[in-house]
Short mmCIF file of all heavy atoms in Angstrom, two decimals:
data_model
loop_
_atom_site.label_atom_id
_atom_site.label_comp_id
_atom_site.label_asym_id
_atom_site.label_seq_id
_atom_site.Cartn_x
_atom_site.Cartn_y
_atom_site.Cartn_z
N ILE A 67 -2.51 16.24 11.88
CA ILE A 67 -1.77 15.33 11.12
C ILE A 67 -0.29 15.64 11.22
O ILE A 67 0.58 14.73 11.43
CB ILE A 67 -2.17 15.27 9.63
CG1 ILE A 67 -3.44 14.33 9.55
CG2 ILE A 67 -1.04 14.73 8.72
CD1 ILE A 67 -3.95 14.07 8.08
N GLY A 68 0.08 16.84 11.07
CA GLY A 68 1.50 17.29 10.95
C GLY A 68 2.23 17.10 12.22
O GLY A 68 3.45 16.96 12.22
N VAL A 69 1.55 17.05 13.40
CA VAL A 69 2.25 17.03 14.61
C VAL A 69 2.29 15.72 15.35
O VAL A 69 3.36 15.14 15.67
CB VAL A 69 1.61 18.12 15.59
CG1 VAL A 69 2.35 18.20 16.91
CG2 VAL A 69 1.71 19.43 14.89
N MET A 70 1.10 15.20 15.67
CA MET A 70 1.04 14.13 16.72
C MET A 70 0.38 12.87 16.21
O MET A 70 0.17 11.96 17.10
CB MET A 70 0.44 14.66 18.02
CG MET A 70 -0.96 15.14 17.85
SD MET A 70 -1.56 16.10 19.21
CE MET A 70 -0.94 17.72 18.82
N ASP A 71 -0.13 12.87 15.02
CA ASP A 71 -0.94 11.73 14.57
C ASP A 71 -2.17 11.48 15.43
O ASP A 71 -2.56 10.41 15.58
CB ASP A 71 -0.07 10.45 14.44
CG ASP A 71 1.04 10.59 13.38
OD1 ASP A 71 0.75 11.16 12.33
OD2 ASP A 71 2.14 10.13 13.71
N ASP A 72 -2.63 12.59 16.02
CA ASP A 72 -3.85 12.41 16.93
C ASP A 72 -5.13 12.43 16.09
O ASP A 72 -5.45 13.49 15.35
CB ASP A 72 -3.80 13.60 17.87
CG ASP A 72 -5.04 13.69 18.78
OD1 ASP A 72 -5.79 12.68 18.72
OD2 ASP A 72 -5.23 14.63 19.48
N GLU A 73 -5.73 11.32 16.03
CA GLU A 73 -6.94 11.18 15.21
C GLU A 73 -8.22 11.73 15.89
O GLU A 73 -9.29 11.67 15.34
CB GLU A 73 -7.21 9.75 14.86
CG GLU A 73 -6.00 9.15 13.94
CD GLU A 73 -6.32 9.30 12.51
OE1 GLU A 73 -7.46 9.09 12.16
OE2 GLU A 73 -5.26 9.45 11.79
N SER A 74 -8.12 12.19 17.16
CA SER A 74 -9.31 12.60 17.84
C SER A 74 -10.05 13.72 17.27
O SER A 74 -11.30 13.95 17.42
CB SER A 74 -8.88 12.92 19.34
OG SER A 74 -8.07 14.07 19.42
N ASN A 75 -9.29 14.63 16.51
CA ASN A 75 -10.02 15.75 15.84
C ASN A 75 -10.20 15.53 14.41
O ASN A 75 -10.52 16.46 13.63
CB ASN A 75 -9.15 17.03 16.04
CG ASN A 75 -9.03 17.50 17.46
OD1 ASN A 75 -10.04 17.37 18.20
ND2 ASN A 75 -7.86 17.91 17.91
N VAL A 76 -10.12 14.32 13.92
CA VAL A 76 -10.34 13.95 12.61
C VAL A 76 -11.67 13.43 12.37
O VAL A 76 -12.15 12.52 13.03
CB VAL A 76 -9.27 12.91 12.14
CG1 VAL A 76 -9.39 12.61 10.60
CG2 VAL A 76 -7.83 13.40 12.40
N ARG A 77 -12.34 13.96 11.32
CA ARG A 77 -13.67 13.41 10.91
C ARG A 77 -13.44 12.36 9.89
O ARG A 77 -13.02 12.68 8.80
CB ARG A 77 -14.59 14.53 10.42
CG ARG A 77 -15.92 14.02 9.83
CD ARG A 77 -16.69 15.08 9.22
NE ARG A 77 -17.15 16.09 10.18
CZ ARG A 77 -18.28 16.08 10.91
NH1 ARG A 77 -19.07 15.04 10.65
NH2 ARG A 77 -18.58 16.99 11.70
N ARG A 78 -13.52 11.04 10.24
CA ARG A 78 -13.30 9.96 9.29
C ARG A 78 -14.70 9.31 9.01
O ARG A 78 -15.05 8.34 9.64
CB ARG A 78 -12.32 8.94 9.94
CG ARG A 78 -10.98 9.51 10.22
CD ARG A 78 -10.09 9.48 9.00
NE ARG A 78 -8.67 9.71 9.34
CZ ARG A 78 -7.71 10.05 8.46
NH1 ARG A 78 -8.08 10.23 7.17
NH2 ARG A 78 -6.50 10.31 8.85
N GLU A 79 -15.37 9.94 8.11
CA GLU A 79 -16.65 9.34 7.72
C GLU A 79 -16.65 9.03 6.22
O GLU A 79 -15.83 9.46 5.49
CB GLU A 79 -17.82 10.33 8.01
CG GLU A 79 -17.95 10.63 9.53
CD GLU A 79 -19.10 11.56 9.74
OE1 GLU A 79 -19.98 11.63 8.92
OE2 GLU A 79 -19.17 12.16 10.90
N GLU A 80 -17.64 8.23 5.79
CA GLU A 80 -17.90 7.87 4.43
C GLU A 80 -19.32 8.04 4.15
O GLU A 80 -20.15 7.82 4.99
CB GLU A 80 -17.47 6.44 4.18
CG GLU A 80 -15.96 6.22 3.97
CD GLU A 80 -15.66 4.84 3.54
OE1 GLU A 80 -16.41 3.88 3.86
OE2 GLU A 80 -14.62 4.63 2.80
N LEU A 81 -19.62 8.54 2.88
CA LEU A 81 -20.98 8.50 2.43
C LEU A 81 -21.12 7.37 1.46
O LEU A 81 -20.10 7.03 0.77
CB LEU A 81 -21.29 9.83 1.69
CG LEU A 81 -21.09 11.12 2.59
CD1 LEU A 81 -21.45 12.34 1.75
CD2 LEU A 81 -22.01 11.07 3.82
N GLU A 82 -22.27 6.74 1.42
CA GLU A 82 -22.50 5.60 0.59
C GLU A 82 -23.58 5.92 -0.41
O GLU A 82 -24.53 6.60 -0.10
CB GLU A 82 -22.83 4.36 1.41
CG GLU A 82 -21.72 3.98 2.33
CD GLU A 82 -22.03 2.76 3.22
OE1 GLU A 82 -22.84 1.95 2.77
OE2 GLU A 82 -21.43 2.56 4.26
N LEU A 83 -23.42 5.40 -1.61
CA LEU A 83 -24.43 5.59 -2.66
C LEU A 83 -24.46 4.44 -3.66
O LEU A 83 -23.38 3.91 -4.08
CB LEU A 83 -24.03 6.82 -3.43
CG LEU A 83 -24.95 7.36 -4.57
CD1 LEU A 83 -26.28 7.78 -4.01
CD2 LEU A 83 -24.28 8.43 -5.41
N ASP A 84 -25.59 3.99 -3.97
CA ASP A 84 -25.82 2.96 -4.95
C ASP A 84 -26.02 3.56 -6.33
O ASP A 84 -27.01 4.38 -6.42
CB ASP A 84 -26.99 2.03 -4.54
CG ASP A 84 -26.62 1.04 -3.40
OD1 ASP A 84 -25.41 0.73 -3.28
OD2 ASP A 84 -27.46 0.82 -2.57
N ILE A 85 -25.23 3.19 -7.28
CA ILE A 85 -25.35 3.77 -8.64
C ILE A 85 -25.55 2.60 -9.67
O ILE A 85 -24.84 1.59 -9.55
CB ILE A 85 -24.02 4.49 -9.04
CG1 ILE A 85 -23.79 5.64 -8.04
CG2 ILE A 85 -24.13 5.06 -10.50
CD1 ILE A 85 -22.43 6.30 -8.20
N PRO A 86 -26.56 2.68 -10.49
CA PRO A 86 -26.77 1.63 -11.48
C PRO A 86 -25.44 1.44 -12.30
O PRO A 86 -24.91 2.40 -12.80
CB PRO A 86 -27.91 2.08 -12.35
CG PRO A 86 -28.66 3.05 -11.38
CD PRO A 86 -27.62 3.74 -10.60
#
Side-chain angles (χ1 to χ4, degrees):
I67 276 183
V69 181
M70 62 193 82
D71 296 323
D72 177 8
E73 297 266 326
S74 62
N75 293 322
V76 181
R77 176 187 292 271
R78 297 278 192 197
E79 295 183 20
E80 284 186 328
L81 301 179
E82 300 181 22
L83 182 68
D84 288 328
I85 301 170

